[in-house]
Amino acid sequence: MSQTVWIARHGNRQDFVDSSWHRTAERPFDPGLAADGILQAKELGKRLQGEKIAHIFASPFLRTVETAHYVAEALDLSIKVESGLSEFLNPNWFFSTPECLTLDSLFQLFPRVDRSYTSRVIAEFPETEQTALRRAGKVARRLATEFPQNLLLVGHGASVLGATRGLLEDPVHVSCPLCGLFKLVKQGDEWLMELSGDISHLSRTEQNIRYI
């Protein structure tokens, strides 16, 4: 049987809607979803119903776990928090490793978080863009091998691109819109991309894609 790996970027984030949000935020580099981002995540979940997804993996940042939460609700699955899908830890963006909620705190907010799962790849600050892409590619390959069912990976612009490249083993360049969906299907020893940044499931989309 062929395996399908779905890859999605998180929904619209609070600080994309309110540029002053970070000034009073407890964790200024870890925004959750904006109201329209929640809607996007719910629409993503509805789109993926019936696709026989067995496991959901999400970056530890709040916006990705929250996006995964709404999908997990729709699919009745747990969420495995995977550091390898983290945001690009760019030293030009962050002074140090950006603070995220602990696994227990995420579980308190999103009870579908699987507290028994441990990350297969750890993102380490600081990293170059190429390091971030290779890290996401590495974890995508490892998860696809270790969990040979249909998977969903929820990440960020760079980790979505890196995971896609990692499976295809090709420096393909794709647009990564918010809550955009990628579908990669394994045929024999090769992965083929059947969807690239698809947003046909969304009722509200961004005007300018921030990660192309």
Side-chain angles (χ1 to χ4, degrees):
M1 294 180 63
S2 65
Q3 179 186 19
T4 299
V5 173
W6 300 86
I7 307 173
R9 192 179 177 193
H10 59 78
N12 197 21
R13 43 193 272 188
Q14 288 173 294
D15 57 342
F16 283 179
V17 173
D18 178 6
S19 60
S20 66
W21 174 87
H22 69 282
R23 296 176 187 169
T24 57
E26 184 177 352
R27 299 181 318 283
F29 298 119
D30 191 28
L33 296 180
D36 60 336
I38 292 174
L39 175 61
Q40 291 172 331
K42 290 179 177 179
E43 291 173 336
L44 178 63
K46 184 176 180 180
R47 164 64 181 85
L48 292 171
Q49 287 179 323
E51 297 294 352
K52 299 181 179 179
I53 292 170
H55 301 280
I56 299 174
F57 300 86
S59 154
F61 285 74
L62 181 58
R63 55 192 177 275
T64 40
V65 177
E66 192 174 2
T67 300
H69 162 76
Y70 289 105
V71 179
E73 288 278 285
L75 304 187
D76 193 20
L77 292 172
S78 63
I79 303 165
K80 296 174 175 63
V81 177
E82 173 55 60
S83 175
L85 296 172
S86 288
E87 177 67 278
F88 167 23
L89 301 183
N90 186 344
N92 292 322
W93 299 348
F94 310 118
F95 302 113
S96 60
T97 303
E99 182 183 357
C100 294
L101 289 171
T102 65
L103 196 62
D104 285 340
S105 295
L106 287 171
F107 176 78
Q108 293 301 315
L109 291 173
F110 309 110
R112 289 185 178 273
V113 167
D114 179 357
R115 290 185 292 179
S116 69
Y117 177 82
T118 56
S119 291
R120 277 27 181 190
V121 175
I122 303 298
E124 297 182 352
F125 177 89
E127 59 185 0
T128 66
E129 184 174 18
Q130 288 306 310
T131 301
L133 294 174
R134 286 195 298 269
R135 176 251 298 166
K138 178 181 178 180
V139 79
R141 291 190 300 272
R142 179 161 178 179
L143 294 177
T145 300
E146 186 175 342
F147 300 88
Q149 303 100 334
N150 293 351
L151 312 178
L152 170 65
L153 314 181
V154 183
H156 309 261
S159 55
V160 166
L161 176 58
T164 302
R165 287 184 176 182
L167 291 179
L168 294 175
E169 296 185 356
D170 181 6
V172 60
H173 196 76
V174 295
S175 294
C176 300
L178 295 171
C179 255
L181 189 60
F182 295 77
K183 180 182 180 181
L184 286 84
V185 179
K186 191 173 186 181
Q187 300 289 352
D189 294 329
E190 294 187 354
W191 288 90
L192 304 176
M193 186 159 58
E194 293 190 358
L195 286 176
S196 176
D198 180 49
I199 53 173
S200 62
H201 52 285
L202 301 178
S203 58
R204 297 183 63 179
T205 59
E206 58 192 315
Q207 298 300 309
N208 297 302
I209 298 175
R210 293 175 172 81
Y211 200 95
I212 298 176

mmCIF file of all heavy atoms in Angstrom, residues 4 40-41 49 55 65 67 74 77 87 99 114 116 124 126 139 153 155-156 158 168 182-183 196 204 208:
data_model
loop_
_atom_site.group_PDB
_atom_site.id
_atom_site.type_symbol
_atom_site.label_atom_id
_atom_site.label_comp_id
_atom_site.label_asym_id
_atom_site.label_seq_id
_atom_site.Cartn_x
_atom_site.Cartn_y
_atom_site.Cartn_z
ATOM 1 N N THR A 4 0.747 8.208 2.324
ATOM 2 C CA THR A 4 0.557 9.625 2.027
ATOM 3 C C THR A 4 0.983 10.461 3.220
ATOM 4 O O THR A 4 0.575 10.184 4.355
ATOM 5 C CB THR A 4 -0.912 9.939 1.688
ATOM 6 O OG1 THR A 4 -1.304 9.193 0.530
ATOM 7 C CG2 THR A 4 -1.105 11.426 1.415
ATOM 8 N N GLN A 40 -9.526 28.900 9.681
ATOM 9 C CA GLN A 40 -8.713 28.165 8.704
ATOM 10 C C GLN A 40 -8.372 26.768 9.209
ATOM 11 O O GLN A 40 -8.433 25.791 8.456
ATOM 12 C CB GLN A 40 -7.424 28.942 8.415
ATOM 13 C CG GLN A 40 -7.626 30.232 7.649
ATOM 14 C CD GLN A 40 -6.344 31.045 7.555
ATOM 15 O OE1 GLN A 40 -5.475 30.977 8.425
ATOM 16 N NE2 GLN A 40 -6.222 31.843 6.497
ATOM 17 N N ALA A 41 -7.995 26.664 10.489
ATOM 18 C CA ALA A 41 -7.643 25.367 11.051
ATOM 19 C C ALA A 41 -8.837 24.416 11.051
ATOM 20 O O ALA A 41 -8.691 23.216 10.761
ATOM 21 C CB ALA A 41 -7.103 25.548 12.471
ATOM 22 N N GLN A 49 -10.845 15.137 6.673
ATOM 23 C CA GLN A 49 -11.694 14.025 7.088
ATOM 24 C C GLN A 49 -11.810 13.022 5.942
ATOM 25 O O GLN A 49 -11.964 13.394 4.791
ATOM 26 C CB GLN A 49 -13.085 14.527 7.488
ATOM 27 C CG GLN A 49 -13.099 15.246 8.823
ATOM 28 C CD GLN A 49 -14.478 15.764 9.195
ATOM 29 O OE1 GLN A 49 -15.238 16.208 8.332
ATOM 30 N NE2 GLN A 49 -14.793 15.744 10.475
ATOM 31 N N HIS A 55 -1.665 9.617 12.182
ATOM 32 C CA HIS A 55 -0.873 10.358 13.169
ATOM 33 C C HIS A 55 -0.766 11.820 12.748
ATOM 34 O O HIS A 55 -0.582 12.120 11.563
ATOM 35 C CB HIS A 55 0.536 9.779 13.291
ATOM 36 C CG HIS A 55 0.585 8.341 13.702
ATOM 37 N ND1 HIS A 55 0.432 7.932 15.008
ATOM 38 C CD2 HIS A 55 0.754 7.208 12.964
ATOM 39 C CE1 HIS A 55 0.525 6.615 15.064
ATOM 40 N NE2 HIS A 55 0.720 6.151 13.844
ATOM 41 N N VAL A 65 0.503 23.965 17.256
ATOM 42 C CA VAL A 65 -0.249 23.014 18.082
ATOM 43 C C VAL A 65 -1.733 23.360 18.052
ATOM 44 O O VAL A 65 -2.591 22.472 17.982
ATOM 45 C CB VAL A 65 0.284 23.007 19.525
ATOM 46 C CG1 VAL A 65 -0.554 22.065 20.399
ATOM 47 C CG2 VAL A 65 1.749 22.577 19.561
ATOM 48 N N THR A 67 -3.347 24.872 15.595
ATOM 49 C CA THR A 67 -3.844 24.441 14.289
ATOM 50 C C THR A 67 -4.076 22.935 14.292
ATOM 51 O O THR A 67 -5.142 22.444 13.856
ATOM 52 C CB THR A 67 -2.844 24.810 13.180
ATOM 53 O OG1 THR A 67 -2.660 26.232 13.153
ATOM 54 C CG2 THR A 67 -3.330 24.334 11.808
ATOM 55 N N ALA A 74 -11.319 17.162 14.535
ATOM 56 C CA ALA A 74 -12.104 16.698 13.386
ATOM 57 C C ALA A 74 -11.821 15.238 13.054
ATOM 58 O O ALA A 74 -12.714 14.516 12.585
ATOM 59 C CB ALA A 74 -11.810 17.582 12.170
ATOM 60 N N LEU A 77 -7.976 12.313 16.679
ATOM 61 C CA LEU A 77 -6.609 11.812 16.832
ATOM 62 C C LEU A 77 -5.874 12.588 17.922
ATOM 63 O O LEU A 77 -6.327 13.653 18.351
ATOM 64 C CB LEU A 77 -5.837 11.942 15.518
ATOM 65 C CG LEU A 77 -6.278 11.052 14.348
ATOM 66 C CD1 LEU A 77 -5.542 11.462 13.084
ATOM 67 C CD2 LEU A 77 -6.048 9.584 14.672
ATOM 68 N N GLU A 87 9.786 26.299 14.042
ATOM 69 C CA GLU A 87 10.091 27.495 13.267
ATOM 70 C C GLU A 87 11.593 27.552 12.972
ATOM 71 O O GLU A 87 12.418 26.969 13.696
ATOM 72 C CB GLU A 87 9.679 28.720 14.090
ATOM 73 C CG GLU A 87 9.979 30.066 13.490
ATOM 74 C CD GLU A 87 9.173 30.351 12.249
ATOM 75 O OE1 GLU A 87 9.608 29.858 11.169
ATOM 76 O OE2 GLU A 87 8.155 31.049 12.330
ATOM 77 N N GLU A 99 10.929 31.109 23.574
ATOM 78 C CA GLU A 99 10.227 30.370 24.613
ATOM 79 C C GLU A 99 8.880 29.869 24.106
ATOM 80 O O GLU A 99 8.095 30.622 23.533
ATOM 81 C CB GLU A 99 10.006 31.257 25.835
ATOM 82 C CG GLU A 99 9.322 30.543 26.989
ATOM 83 C CD GLU A 99 9.049 31.449 28.169
ATOM 84 O OE1 GLU A 99 9.440 32.634 28.110
ATOM 85 O OE2 GLU A 99 8.442 30.973 29.140
ATOM 86 N N ASP A 114 -0.171 14.352 23.038
ATOM 87 C CA ASP A 114 0.346 13.070 23.528
ATOM 88 C C ASP A 114 1.607 13.327 24.358
ATOM 89 O O ASP A 114 2.680 13.574 23.810
ATOM 90 C CB ASP A 114 0.651 12.151 22.332
ATOM 91 C CG ASP A 114 1.206 10.807 22.740
ATOM 92 O OD1 ASP A 114 1.413 10.577 23.950
ATOM 93 O OD2 ASP A 114 1.450 9.978 21.835
ATOM 94 N N SER A 116 3.332 11.276 25.982
ATOM 95 C CA SER A 116 4.284 10.165 25.969
ATOM 96 C C SER A 116 5.247 10.228 24.782
ATOM 97 O O SER A 116 6.252 9.518 24.760
ATOM 98 C CB SER A 116 3.535 8.824 25.934
ATOM 99 O OG SER A 116 2.891 8.631 24.680
ATOM 100 N N GLU A 124 17.860 23.327 17.073
ATOM 101 C CA GLU A 124 18.835 23.981 17.935
ATOM 102 C C GLU A 124 19.143 25.390 17.444
ATOM 103 O O GLU A 124 19.463 25.597 16.271
ATOM 104 C CB GLU A 124 20.123 23.153 17.992
ATOM 105 C CG GLU A 124 19.924 21.760 18.606
ATOM 106 C CD GLU A 124 21.211 20.974 18.688
ATOM 107 O OE1 GLU A 124 22.241 21.435 18.144
ATOM 108 O OE2 GLU A 124 21.194 19.881 19.296
ATOM 109 N N PRO A 126 21.480 28.795 17.354
ATOM 110 C CA PRO A 126 20.919 29.404 16.140
ATOM 111 C C PRO A 126 21.100 28.473 14.958
ATOM 112 O O PRO A 126 21.899 27.539 15.007
ATOM 113 C CB PRO A 126 21.772 30.658 15.981
ATOM 114 C CG PRO A 126 23.122 30.226 16.500
ATOM 115 C CD PRO A 126 22.851 29.264 17.629
ATOM 116 N N VAL A 139 13.514 15.182 9.732
ATOM 117 C CA VAL A 139 12.441 14.660 10.576
ATOM 118 C C VAL A 139 11.290 14.109 9.732
ATOM 119 O O VAL A 139 10.655 13.120 10.102
ATOM 120 C CB VAL A 139 11.952 15.725 11.580
ATOM 121 C CG1 VAL A 139 11.019 16.753 10.953
ATOM 122 C CG2 VAL A 139 11.251 15.050 12.758
ATOM 123 N N LEU A 153 1.810 16.510 8.992
ATOM 124 C CA LEU A 153 2.835 17.307 9.652
ATOM 125 C C LEU A 153 2.394 18.766 9.616
ATOM 126 O O LEU A 153 2.101 19.299 8.542
ATOM 127 C CB LEU A 153 4.190 17.165 8.949
ATOM 128 C CG LEU A 153 4.655 15.759 8.563
ATOM 129 C CD1 LEU A 153 6.036 15.837 7.906
ATOM 130 C CD2 LEU A 153 4.668 14.832 9.762
ATOM 131 N N GLY A 155 3.537 22.563 10.414
ATOM 132 C CA GLY A 155 4.732 23.344 10.694
ATOM 133 C C GLY A 155 4.596 24.796 10.295
ATOM 134 O O GLY A 155 3.502 25.364 10.271
ATOM 135 N N HIS A 156 5.735 25.383 9.974
ATOM 136 C CA HIS A 156 5.862 26.794 9.611
ATOM 137 C C HIS A 156 6.321 26.876 8.155
ATOM 138 O O HIS A 156 6.567 25.850 7.522
ATOM 139 C CB HIS A 156 6.880 27.463 10.533
ATOM 140 C CG HIS A 156 6.618 27.207 11.980
ATOM 141 N ND1 HIS A 156 5.970 28.100 12.798
ATOM 142 C CD2 HIS A 156 6.920 26.125 12.764
ATOM 143 C CE1 HIS A 156 5.879 27.594 14.016
ATOM 144 N NE2 HIS A 156 6.447 26.402 14.023
ATOM 145 N N ALA A 158 9.189 27.638 6.728
ATOM 146 C CA ALA A 158 10.462 26.968 6.449
ATOM 147 C C ALA A 158 10.390 25.470 6.689
ATOM 148 O O ALA A 158 10.944 24.683 5.919
ATOM 149 C CB ALA A 158 11.574 27.584 7.297
ATOM 150 N N LEU A 168 10.915 14.628 -1.076
ATOM 151 C CA LEU A 168 11.115 14.571 -2.527
ATOM 152 C C LEU A 168 12.583 14.393 -2.902
ATOM 153 O O LEU A 168 12.893 13.981 -4.014
ATOM 154 C CB LEU A 168 10.593 15.856 -3.182
ATOM 155 C CG LEU A 168 9.082 16.095 -3.115
ATOM 156 C CD1 LEU A 168 8.754 17.459 -3.701
ATOM 157 C CD2 LEU A 168 8.322 14.998 -3.854
ATOM 158 N N PHE A 182 -0.085 20.440 1.477
ATOM 159 C CA PHE A 182 0.739 19.686 0.542
ATOM 160 C C PHE A 182 0.410 18.201 0.699
ATOM 161 O O PHE A 182 0.197 17.729 1.811
ATOM 162 C CB PHE A 182 2.229 19.912 0.822
ATOM 163 C CG PHE A 182 2.676 21.321 0.596
ATOM 164 C CD1 PHE A 182 2.388 22.318 1.528
ATOM 165 C CD2 PHE A 182 3.373 21.670 -0.552
ATOM 166 C CE1 PHE A 182 2.788 23.629 1.321
ATOM 167 C CE2 PHE A 182 3.776 22.977 -0.771
ATOM 168 C CZ PHE A 182 3.482 23.956 0.173
ATOM 169 N N LYS A 183 0.397 17.501 -0.401
ATOM 170 C CA LYS A 183 0.125 16.060 -0.379
ATOM 171 C C LYS A 183 1.238 15.345 -1.125
ATOM 172 O O LYS A 183 1.452 15.579 -2.316
ATOM 173 C CB LYS A 183 -1.220 15.746 -1.040
ATOM 174 C CG LYS A 183 -1.571 14.262 -1.065
ATOM 175 C CD LYS A 183 -2.905 14.022 -1.777
ATOM 176 C CE LYS A 183 -3.271 12.543 -1.804
ATOM 177 N NZ LYS A 183 -4.556 12.300 -2.524
ATOM 178 N N SER A 196 0.311 21.096 -3.901
ATOM 179 C CA SER A 196 1.367 22.012 -3.481
ATOM 180 C C SER A 196 0.754 23.334 -3.033
ATOM 181 O O SER A 196 0.248 24.107 -3.857
ATOM 182 C CB SER A 196 2.350 22.256 -4.626
ATOM 183 O OG SER A 196 3.317 23.219 -4.267
ATOM 184 N N ARG A 204 -11.228 31.959 3.725
ATOM 185 C CA ARG A 204 -10.503 33.227 3.837
ATOM 186 C C ARG A 204 -9.017 32.943 3.686
ATOM 187 O O ARG A 204 -8.456 32.104 4.389
ATOM 188 C CB ARG A 204 -10.779 33.893 5.189
ATOM 189 C CG ARG A 204 -12.226 34.273 5.398
ATOM 190 C CD ARG A 204 -12.439 34.992 6.710
ATOM 191 N NE ARG A 204 -11.719 36.272 6.748
ATOM 192 C CZ ARG A 204 -11.764 37.105 7.802
ATOM 193 N NH1 ARG A 204 -12.451 36.773 8.872
ATOM 194 N NH2 ARG A 204 -11.101 38.244 7.758
ATOM 195 N N ASN A 208 -1.123 38.460 0.753
ATOM 196 C CA ASN A 208 0.298 38.387 0.394
ATOM 197 C C ASN A 208 0.943 37.264 1.170
ATOM 198 O O ASN A 208 1.025 37.299 2.394
ATOM 199 C CB ASN A 208 1.000 39.713 0.744
ATOM 200 C CG ASN A 208 0.449 40.876 -0.042
ATOM 201 O OD1 ASN A 208 0.475 40.858 -1.279
ATOM 202 N ND2 ASN A 208 -0.062 41.877 0.651
#
